[in-house]
Amino acid sequence: MRRPLNSLIQSSAYAFYKVLTTHCHALKLGTLADVYTANKILNAYTRCKELHIARKLFDEIPHRDTVSWNTMIAGFVNCGNLETACKILKNMRRCDFDFDGYSFGSLLKGVASAYRLEVGQQLHSMVIKMGYEENVYAGSALLDMYAKCEKVEDAYTVFEYLPEPNSVSWNALIAGFSKVGDRSTAFWLLHCMEKEGVRAEDGTFAPLLTLLDDIEFYKLTIQIHGKIVKHGLAFDNTVCNAMITAYSECGSIRDARKVFDGAVGMRDLVTWNSLLAAYLVHEEEELGFQLFLDMQRLGFEPDIYTYTSILSACFEKAHKSHGQSLHAVVIKRGLEYLVPISNALIAMYLKSNNTSMREALKLFESMELKDRVSWNSILTGFSQIGLNEDALKLFGQMRSLMVEIDHYAFSAVLRSCADLATLQLGRQVHVLAIKSGFKTNDFVASALIFLYSKCGIIEDARKSFEETPNDSSIAWNSLIFGYAQNGQGSIALDLFFLMRDRKVRLDHITFVAVLTACSHIGLVEEGLNFLKSMESDYGIPPRMEHYACAVDLLGRARRLGEARTLIESMPFKPDAMVWKTLLGACRVCGDIELATQVASHLLELEPEEHCTYVLLSHLYGHLRRWDEKANLTRLMRERGVKKVPGWSWIEIKNQVHAFNAEDQSHPLCKEIYQMLGELMEEITWLDTDTGLDILISDFDEPYESYDAKLLSAGNF
């Protein structure tokens, strides 16, 4: 059970009062001349973080020894003041006091915490010069410094020079290799440690558990759990918390809950937060909300991590009221001015729906302090909901205010350039990204591939891909989708097989891209085989967007009956995206009966969405069923649904010209409509045999646009 904050404050005040009392007695009795007594009082002051008093006492000690100096160094290091600690070390040398292992150990601890590698390297040279490289305390601290600064090869070299490494040395080395993600070396070190007869501790297993982050490591997680139980560490708080996270990452929320249930009486706030995160990762939002209430009922006050986690679960429509309630709780507890919580609230509103952009902007504008995440959230929000002009303006504002532009910002603004097809502006942002050092970043490369693919310049998309390390799926997925969208599905599939052969990790978005490629080049059976083999061959269960792709695949092949059967066989209830895809296929095939059934599902799911009404209305009009068309128009009017006009735009000499349907506002509209008419006549003449002219005449939203929606649904 946690200790209340006021009891901690009282205990700190009492400790300080005791030191003052002891100090007064020592002055009265004249025992401060004894260096042992003086050092004890000095140490007590540093533990209470009363460094100004400690410094004054240190200056008054008549006969200081090495312990006095080491106590001051450790005190400033523990308070995060590395610079002063270094100055004390220099003064120590000027006063002819020899350093020892504790002097170096304390200072190296501060270097590790501050990640000041250059200072650590200077201290390393002093350690060697003074012959302390084999001192266990100094050597372990040096090893730990290199490990925390991610210089694991140097850490291992230091380790080899230690005559008898203890558990602290082994743990520091294992933690270092775990931190850089070197799984094989970290577990090899565990094996060596056990062979050497060094007992494993909580500091041994906790770092190793962070490496068990995929379903393929589930059996290994069970084995490590067995070792933990064998060593009597099953109820250790740090290990318990790491076990919950490891089981969750390996796909077993059940085992994570078992570990949590077994930790009764030893749970801390991190334990609760670990299980909360596990529930949310596994989309068990209701269990997460219940856990949030249970922890408070048992006396655990949520912290920033708790609130940011639970707020991330409130973007679904079913949980919107929870999000608003949590916002009220945050305000009531005076936490709305904490930047991470404000950022979490902004993200919650942006994910909820497009209409919540106003609330997100209101929060953003009310923030006295904004960090990079705040700006990026709004920028990404503008980009994702189609307010691309606003995204470009905000990006310009970020640059003028000298806000740090990172890869997330570049990715968002490049996607806005892609949606607007503003190639020249996109190229300028590309140059800025290169100058800022993000040329090889996966997210930026993915956005560049998307930009050039959308603008039809697949060669430049491929060039952006080649300039990345190509070791993650992000850029691969973008390029596969880019080729698919540009009618080169065969190359897209070749890329997929190359990706598989190179053992690049496939994900669910990879299969959205592959199914899209199959759809665009008519490989129906191949696409259906990909859908069937996703889980059995690749361990990736099909999601909603994969079924939507398969429906699109069958719809393009005019196999509507199979598409309907596939939807009925889905392991979960189809969402609006799936039904919209089928409705688009019904429209192309002219199947009014099935279209009417599909539309009824959509009108139930999204009664306010204008696209369903418009698509069905166009279909009724095309088949000259005027009564049904009139009834649908009346229903739209009764429900207050208005058709949102479509927009088109073109970039000429860095200027974007935007148009909506039947727009007459452009100064050159007469010439534009004349040219447009000539183009339409030529297209109609070329494609009369295929019936494309019928599709062009009244198609409000292109059938192909569903590919972009599927990609967006996959969080691409």
Side-chain angles (χ1 to χ4, degrees):
M1 186 68 71
R2 67 178 176 84
R3 294 176 67 189
L5 181 61
N6 60 348
S7 70
L8 289 173
I9 294 170
Q10 288 170 5
S11 63
S12 298
Y14 178 67
F16 180 49
Y17 170 75
K18 277 188 71 175
V19 181
L20 283 173
T21 305
T22 306
H23 191 178
C24 290
H25 279 298
L27 285 170
K28 187 176 179 180
L29 298 171
T31 55
L32 270 181
D34 175 45
V35 69
Y36 177 78
T37 303
N39 286 343
K40 282 192 69 175
I41 297 171
L42 188 66
N43 183 52
Y45 276 129
T46 59
R47 287 179 178 274
C48 293
K49 301 189 186 300
E50 297 291 341
L51 295 181
H52 61 293
I53 302 176
R55 189 68 178 263
K56 189 175 179 182
L57 174 60
F58 175 78
D59 291 338
E60 293 171 354
I61 296 175
H63 304 292
R64 302 176 197 141
D65 60 6
T66 303
V67 175
S68 313
W69 290 92
N70 286 347
T71 301
M72 290 303 298
I73 291 170
F76 279 101
V77 164
N78 291 334
C79 288
N81 193 337
L82 179 62
E83 302 301 326
T84 303
C86 289
K87 288 177 183 177
I88 293 172
L89 187 78
K90 290 177 183 177
N91 289 335
M92 183 178 179
R93 191 166 190 180
R94 288 195 195 103
C95 295
D96 292 327
F97 280 90
D98 291 331
F99 306 151
D100 62 10
Y102 295 102
S103 311
F104 288 117
S106 295
L107 208 53
L108 285 164
K109 177 185 174 184
V111 171
S113 299
Y115 302 104
R116 294 286 300 276
L117 178 63
E118 72 287 352
V119 178
Q121 288 169 330
Q122 292 171 20
L123 287 169
H124 190 176
S125 66
M126 292 174 68
V127 167
I128 294 171
K129 187 177 179 181
M130 299 185 69
Y132 280 98
E133 66 267 33
E134 293 186 1
N135 178 279
V136 173
Y137 193 79
S140 295
L142 194 59
L143 187 160
D144 183 59
M145 182 275 296
Y146 279 123
K148 285 180 177 171
C149 291
E150 300 186 7
K151 291 287 183 179
V152 288
E153 293 82 7
D154 294 333
Y156 189 77
T157 302
V158 172
F159 179 80
E160 287 185 307
Y161 274 95
L162 294 176
E164 292 184 15
N166 57 18
S167 60
V168 175
S169 313
W170 283 98
N171 292 346
L173 196 60
I174 289 171
F177 279 98
S178 299
K179 186 178 181 182
V180 299
D182 190 339
R183 188 178 293 105
S184 58
T185 304
F187 279 96
W188 173 75
L189 285 168
L190 174 66
H191 175 69
C192 293
M193 181 180 180
E194 291 176 329
K195 281 183 70 176
E196 290 290 324
V198 180
R199 182 176 174 79
E201 302 169 346
D202 57 338
T204 313
F205 292 112
L208 289 169
L209 287 166
T210 64
L211 296 170
L212 307 177
D213 56 358
D214 193 87
I215 194 168
E216 64 180 294
F217 303 121
Y218 177 64
K219 289 184 178 178
L220 181 55
T221 306
I222 294 173
Q223 291 171 6
I224 294 296
H225 193 176
K227 283 182 178 290
I228 288 167
V229 173
K230 184 179 177 181
H231 283 81
L233 298 169
F235 300 109
D236 179 89
N237 201 252
T238 306
V239 175
C240 173
N241 298 340
M243 280 299 310
I244 292 171
T245 302
Y247 273 125
S248 169
E249 294 286 333
C250 291
S252 179
I253 190 67
R254 183 181 176 185
D255 287 322
R257 180 75 206 207
K258 279 183 179 178
V259 174
F260 177 85
D261 290 340
V264 177
M266 286 154 293
R267 298 172 190 153
D268 61 4
L269 190 55
V270 178
T271 315
W272 289 89
N273 285 343
S274 298
L275 187 63
L276 177 62
Y279 278 144
L280 301 183
V281 164
H282 289 268
E283 299 179 357
E284 298 282 359
E285 286 87 1
E286 289 301 331
L287 291 174
F289 290 126
Q290 186 57 51
L291 190 78
F292 177 73
L293 297 175
D294 289 343
M295 66 185 290
Q296 294 176 82
R297 182 173 52 81
L298 293 171
F300 288 88
E301 184 67 30
D303 63 1
I304 291 177
Y305 183 85
T306 316
Y307 281 113
T308 53
S309 296
I310 198 69
L311 284 167
S312 70
C314 298
F315 63 88
E316 294 286 351
K317 188 179 288 186
H319 302 137
K320 189 177 179 182
S321 60
H322 290 327
Q324 292 168 334
S325 300
L326 282 165
H327 192 173
V329 170
V330 164
I331 293 170
K332 185 178 178 182
R333 295 185 179 176
L335 301 172
E336 72 273 24
Y337 297 113
L338 293 174
V339 174
I341 290 180
S342 290
N343 289 343
L345 285 166
I346 289 171
M348 178 196 76
Y349 282 120
L350 288 174
K351 288 178 181 177
S352 297
N353 53 58
N354 294 357
T355 60
S356 295
M357 189 73 203
R358 184 180 299 174
E359 285 90 342
L361 271 172
K362 188 177 177 182
L363 260 169
F364 176 76
E365 290 165 359
S366 69
M367 292 173 69
E368 293 182 13
L369 295 172
K370 300 179 180 75
D371 64 4
R372 192 172 56 190
V373 176
S374 317
W375 288 92
N376 285 350
S377 297
I378 296 295
L379 180 65
T380 305
F382 279 142
S383 179
Q384 287 180 344
I385 67 174
L387 297 174
N388 297 300
E389 293 89 348
D390 293 311
L392 296 179
K393 287 176 186 175
L394 188 72
F395 184 75
Q397 188 181 353
M398 289 172 69
R399 292 201 67 208
S400 65
L401 293 174
M402 305 297 287
V403 177
E404 184 181 352
I405 309 294
D406 63 9
H407 57 286
Y408 294 112
F410 277 118
S411 178
V413 78
L414 283 166
R415 286 190 179 273
S416 287
C417 291
D419 287 340
L420 292 170
T422 54
L423 178 61
Q424 295 307 315
L425 182 58
R427 287 192 189 280
Q428 291 173 25
V429 177
H430 186 176
V431 171
L432 185 61
I434 292 171
K435 286 175 68 177
S436 302
F438 292 109
K439 181 180 179 180
T440 59
N441 180 271
D442 283 331
F443 291 99
V444 175
S446 173
L448 285 167
I449 293 166
F450 190 72
L451 167 72
Y452 291 125
S453 300
K454 195 83 178 283
C455 294
I457 311 174
I458 197 67
E459 298 80 11
D460 284 357
R462 185 65 181 250
K463 187 177 177 183
S464 295
F465 171 78
E466 299 293 350
E467 289 173 348
T468 62
N470 296 338
D471 53 1
S472 76
S473 62
I474 298 170
W476 285 88
N477 292 343
S478 294
L479 191 63
I480 292 171
F481 200 86
Y483 274 112
Q485 287 287 68
N486 280 271
Q488 300 184 45
S490 298
I491 298 177
L493 292 179
D494 288 343
L495 276 168
F496 168 76
F497 293 119
L498 181 61
M499 181 182 181
R500 187 189 63 183
D501 293 343
R502 290 189 182 178
K503 301 195 182 313
V504 179
R505 186 174 178 181
L506 309 176
D507 58 25
H508 68 282
I509 302 171
T510 310
F511 285 94
V512 172
V514 166
L515 289 167
T516 300
C518 291
S519 182
H520 280 220
I521 56 176
L523 297 177
V524 180
E525 299 307 324
E526 289 84 347
L528 293 175
N529 286 335
F530 274 121
L531 182 70
K532 291 174 185 174
S533 65
M534 276 178 63
E535 188 162 15
S536 58
D537 293 356
Y538 302 99
I540 302 172
R543 300 189 184 188
M544 193 75 73
E545 53 266 35
H546 300 114
Y547 283 100
C549 284
V551 170
D552 178 62
L553 176 74
L554 291 165
R556 287 172 187 266
R558 297 177 177 267
R559 291 160 62 169
L560 295 183
E562 291 177 60
R564 180 63 188 265
T565 302
L566 179 65
I567 292 174
E568 290 171 351
S569 68
M570 284 168 56
F572 30 69
K573 189 176 179 181
D575 67 357
M577 176 175 59
V578 173
W579 290 120
K580 280 181 184 177
T581 307
L582 183 58
L583 182 60
C586 292
R587 186 186 182 289
V588 171
C589 298
D591 191 331
I592 187 64
E593 283 73 22
L594 182 56
T596 304
Q597 296 173 30
V598 173
S600 67
H601 287 294
L602 275 170
L603 294 177
E604 186 179 328
L605 287 170
E606 296 181 339
E608 74 289 345
E609 177 58 55
H610 77 283
C611 292
T612 306
Y613 298 92
V614 172
L615 277 170
L616 196 57
S617 176
H618 284 166
L619 190 53
Y620 283 141
H622 174 60
L623 297 173
R624 293 178 172 78
R625 297 174 66 159
W626 307 117
D627 290 341
E628 286 95 334
K629 183 178 173 71
N631 289 336
L632 199 61
T633 304
R634 190 181 308 112
L635 183 62
M636 286 180 70
R637 191 165 49 249
E638 289 171 358
R639 293 182 175 180
V641 178
K642 293 183 180 180
K643 178 182 174 182
V644 178
W647 283 86
S648 300
W649 49 84
I650 187 170
E651 180 190 16
I652 302 172
K653 296 180 180 179
N654 275 347
Q655 185 176 358
V656 178
H657 301 264
F659 309 89
N660 66 8
E662 300 181 5
D663 197 341
Q664 302 285 330
S665 62
H666 198 277
L668 297 174
C669 69
K670 189 175 180 181
E671 291 87 342
I672 291 169
Y673 276 108
Q674 183 180 346
M675 178 59 72
L676 186 61
E678 292 172 7
L679 288 169
M680 294 298 287
E681 285 179 14
E682 187 173 349
I683 292 170
T684 303
W685 178 75
L686 288 169
D687 292 290
T688 300
D689 292 339
T690 64
L692 186 62
D693 55 327
I694 296 172
L695 294 179
I696 291 169
S697 63
D698 63 353
F699 207 94
D700 178 69
E701 185 171 14
Y703 188 43
E704 286 78 6
S705 72
Y706 288 113
D707 293 330
K709 290 180 179 178
L710 295 172
L711 194 61
S712 175
N715 297 319
F716 196 58

